[in-house]
Each structure stands twice: as structure tokens, then as C-alpha cells.
Amino acid sequence: MIPELIKENLFLEDGRALSIETGKFARKANGSAVVRMGNTSLLATVVIYKEYKEDLKFRPLTIDYREKYSAGGKIPGGYIKREGRPSEEEILIMRLVDRLLRPLFKDNYYQEIQIMISLLSYDINVLPDGLAGLVASTAVSISEIYFKGPVSTVRIIRINDVFIINPGIEELKKSELDLIVGGTNNYILLVEGEMREISEIEIMEAIVKAHKYIQLQIEAQISLITKNKKFLNKRLYNIKLYNYYYKYLNFNLKVFYIKEKINFLYYEDIYYIYKGGLFKQKRSKQIENILNEIKFNFLINNIEIIFDEIKKEIIKKILLKENIRLDGRSLDDLRTICSKVDCLPGVHGSAIFTRGETQALSTVTLGSSLDVNKIDNAIIRAKQKFYLHYNFPPFSTGEIKFLKGVSRREIGHGNLAQRALKNIIPFVTPYTIRVVSDVLESNGSSSMATVCASTLALMDAGITVKRPVSGISMGLIMNYLTGEAIILSDILGDEDYIGDMDFKITGTEYGITACQMDMKIDGITYEVLSNTIFKAKKGLLFIIKKMLTTLSCPRKSLKFPVPKIYTFYIPKKFIGTVIGSGGKIIQEIQVSTETNIKIKEKEKVGIIEILGKNETKLKSAILKIKNITFVPKVGKIYKAKVKNIKKFCVLVEISKYVEGLLHISEISWKILTKNFIRTGDIIYVKYLGKNNKLGKIKLSHKILFYRNYHI
């Protein structure tokens, strides 16, 4: 039986076509879809676990995104020739799709869902990450999941004031603004990207432009769904199923009675704890004591879920009605800021940035081109001379956890901080720059503290950044009765947990450099988004002023531990000579001078890069290589050592690796006596060029004297 293919096409302003289809691939999945644009194709599948899981504290949603090497016509590198664990780039797209879809599932819908997205083919003119949200939404929308979609994403860039939708990799390199925007038909749900100090108005212009294309993609999804009635039947069945579970979980009389009784007994105690402006540790301890008492008095399973709902309601009420934050601040106030540089004297650059109960320690290490971060996946092959790693150890929140390697959250936060800083790093620098941020204490905005600490650490290392970058995390509390939106500056961890938005924004005094918005509701309006960005800009400027009181500008010179780098060029033909047989010569130079040497071939020259901490030894390495690559110049006079005397010539050495024959006729104007010249003598010779026939070096000693007379 030939599968029925259902397809929808839409066209961009530049004439390119985008299609979504279903019915042909992965028919045993609960939902599957393929999106194509140019030769870039992605497949998304959705599978739902049949049993319903009750009383979970989180939605069991798993997003997996993989880029097949075959999609780009490549074979995986390494010993094992197959795809392995996901790359950082794949993990970032998984996080992106997760943040897009997660808010759109109904509350208390706890059937386990797995969404798998695969890049089937790749076109250099269309990057796949802008299409991942569209293909995932389509697959979910045609499954039996009750989903408040469809939804979609668009990647938008700007080059010379011209916007381009879903660009290629070469266009991306030239862009001054790069955003992925996600949304429903009426609201913005996701914003993530980087930009080169762009104004708030310009960002909003890009978001509005992207949203128009999102709406077109949503219309195409709706049209695809309505073309086949079986999708509608699935959704009708699922609504009934959902209503049953919703009634079971939320309107069970026993649960309702317990919640009311806890409110009656403990509401006031909880209210005054959250209104008391206490530090997180003290506040958490008092709340924990109340929870333990409730557990003792109410012997039922999962009482924490009910208690959690009560806490959220109380915190939101305090914020909405009294405009008081958990730590006593007003809505626009920032926490106390302090910072310090040069706190680790043995490293190349360091800084600690503390904001309230959040603290980040950043260090900078400067290396050679041997230390670049190499990226080689199905799409990208690149070398990063600047990269940032973010670590979030469990002690930062006072917890104990088994360390299983770098988490997806750490990869995501590190990437955001890296994008925030990359465009203020000087373009021409001989160094590879690695920044490591360790979060020592966390109560909200640890990634933004990383941006601030890393900026100061770069300045402490003597890196001439264009301008200091700061970061701030903005929150949102929606009043669903009045529609009022309360925007919070510099949010706490608990405010992030109970709030409706976490919008991280970084920038300089000239403009925004990066942003990332997470939502827990099904989107916000342009007005709320714009107000948030403008309010964030005020916070960024305030933080920058505080940072500059610690270090007003980058240090004028590098610190003592920083290795020196010397770069020079040699003729291409000498590359093999410098390396030596099996790398023997270059290894000997590195060991004897305690340096790292890299040789790169470019066009007709070899580029030598030498890195070393000891300047004397560094100069020794330079001299050794220059001796190896020494090329005499016509007309120049050189000191030469007599190596061997033969009947008609003398073998002389003008450098360790350059020897020449001095013919007997070029030694003297006079008749030579027996001991006129001896082995080991140091004489001066003039380089006359090469013999045209033999290509040998022509030298002369007698030319340095007038005929019959000594100069």
C-alpha cells in the first residue's frame, strides 16, 4: 500500500520555497513530519508513552536532535566511523526546541513524550536550526497530544540593514544581528541570539519581521492538519482523555479539602516568611520546617505538590498586590553588586563578580593557535580562538549531586555568555583566549554574573575589549484576572521558578550583544517584550558603571605568567627542513627552549608561531629557526668558517645549515702560500649569487680587497 502524502508549500519574499509534509515517513510514530527548504531536510517524530504518570513534579518531555554526517556528504572522523554522543551544537538546538514546546502542553499532562529530530540532508544555503521548531511543532500537532499549538521558529539575520530569513552559513558570517524567534500566532514565545551592539528598537524590528513568517508557517501547519480528518479525530479523542485526567487531578475532593486545610493552618506563616526579605538559605530553612510539619500532620503521598502550589500562589500574590520582592526589593531594584579582579595571581586574568547571593569566578588563559577549539560536525568545520566554559557545581546551591560530566544547562549557559562576549574581543590577536567561569554561589542569574565576571577577567588579563559587557536577567509575573504584566529586574531563583518568564539580556553602553528568553506561558505581546528590553538596558548601564569602579579599562600590558607569542614567515621550501625527519628537529628545538612551535602553510610561505614563557629561550628558538631558514642575499658580506680545504676550493659555512664552495680563484689576488688559509679559520666572504648552470652558491673572499693591496 502506497502511503498517503499530505503536503503544504509556502514561499518567502525572496522566492525560496519551504514545504512541510506528513504521511510518508515513520508511520508507526504517533506523529511525524518532514520540513524541506532548498536541499535542507529535517524529520521529526513524536512517540507518547501509553501509561499516564501521576503526581510528577515535572513534565516528562525529551527532545533529541541529531545531525547525520551523511546529510552533509561527510564521514565521521575518529576511529569509530559512526555518529556518537551529541555535539554541543546539537544540544543547543535540543534546548531551543524544548523551550519552544514545553510551555504549550496543558498543565498536569504527564504522559511521557519523546520528540526526535534528524537532519536528513543539508544545504549550505539553509541552516537547519531555524527549521527545527517548525518540524517539531508539526509532528506534535498531528499527534494525539493536547497541544496549545501550532507554533514555529524562524532564524533571522541582518546584513547592511537587509533582513534575511533562514540564511546560509556564509551569510551568517557577515551578519550584524542573528536571532532565532519562536512564537504562536499571536504571541512571542522564544528569542535567542547574538548581535553587534544593536539598539532595543532594532531588535524589536527584527522580532516583528520574524513573527510575520512564523504566522505563515503556523497557517501552513493548520492547513496540513485540516487536510486529513484522522488528525482532527485524534485531537478530539485526546481532549476527552485530557479532561478526564484534569478532573481527576485538580478537582478531586480529597485533594481540594487538604489544600484548603493547609491554607487555613499555615497560610499566614508562609506569607510572612516570603514577605520578610530573608536571605535564601534562611527562607528555605523556615519553609522546609513548615513542610516537615505538614508531612507529619497529613500522612498522604506527594503532599509536596500541593504545598508547592500554595507557595506559588502566595509569592505571586505578594508580588502582584504589594509589589514586594522576596528579598525586600522593589520591582526595578538590583541586588547589591561587588567585584574584584586579580584575585588569583598565578593565572593570566581573573575576577569575582557577586550580585546578591549569586557569585561567579572567571579566569582567562591565553594560549597559542595550537589551543584553538576545533569544531568538526556535519555542518560546521571551524576553529574558535575565543571560547568560554561555564561550570555549575552542586555546592553553589548547597546541594550534593553526583557529577556526570557537563550538563546541557551548563553548555547552554556557557554558549550564551560566549556569544555575549565574542564580538567585543579584538579581531586581531595572536592569542587563543579561553575563559572558564565557575559559579560559586547561585540564587538566580548565574549566567549573567558569568558575563560580568568574564568581562572583568578579560580586562584584567590585558585583552583590549572594545567595551565592557554586563548581563541581567528579567522576570515576569502575569495577573490573569486583569491582564497586568509585572516586570522584575535581576530575578532571584525562586522568582524564576514561580514566574512566567526568564529573559537574559547582555550588552554594552552602545547596545545589546546577546539575549535568551524562556517562557512558562504561551507567549507575550510585543508591548511586554519591548518594555522588558528597554528596562533591561537601564539595568545593564547601571551594572557597567559598578564594574568600572573595580577596573576602569583593560590593563596596558599582559601579566608576567602570560606566555609570549612571536610570529614570522619563512619560505615554503624550508618547512620540511625546520620540521626534520619524523619531526626530530622541531621537537629538539621545543624541548631545548621550552617553547611550543606551530608551522602553518599558507600560499607560498610558511607561518611560524612560537609560544614561550621565558623570553631568552623564546629568542633562542627564533634564532635556531632563522638559522635553519637562512637565505643569503646577493652583495651581502657574511662571516664564514672554513670547514674543509680541497685542491681547487675551500668549503665554508656561513650558517649552520648553509654551506658554500669558495673557489681557489676567489680566495686572494696573490699567489697562495701553503698556510694562507687553514681549517677552522674565520674569514669574511661576499655572496655573489648562484651558478646559473649548477645552482651552487658563489662566494668570494678576494673581492673584499683591492687588487694587490689589503683594504
Side-chain angles (χ1 to χ4, degrees), residues 170-221:
E170 293 303 318
E171 292 172 316
L172 190 65
K173 293 175 183 178
K174 305 171 188 175
S175 67
E176 57 205 16
L177 176 147
D178 173 23
L179 282 178
I180 292 183
V181 181
T184 62
N185 207 34
N186 299 313
Y187 301 111
I188 300 298
L189 186 58
L190 178 146
V191 180
E192 179 169 331
E194 65 181 74
M195 49 291 297
R196 295 180 181 176
E197 297 179 287
I198 297 296
S199 71
E200 303 90 308
I201 294 173
E202 291 171 295
I203 291 175
M204 284 305 304
E205 183 185 4
I207 292 171
V208 172
K209 180 85 171 175
H211 195 216
K212 291 179 181 178
Y213 288 94
I214 288 170
Q215 290 169 332
L216 291 175
Q217 292 176 5
I218 289 171
E219 287 177 15
Q221 290 180 71

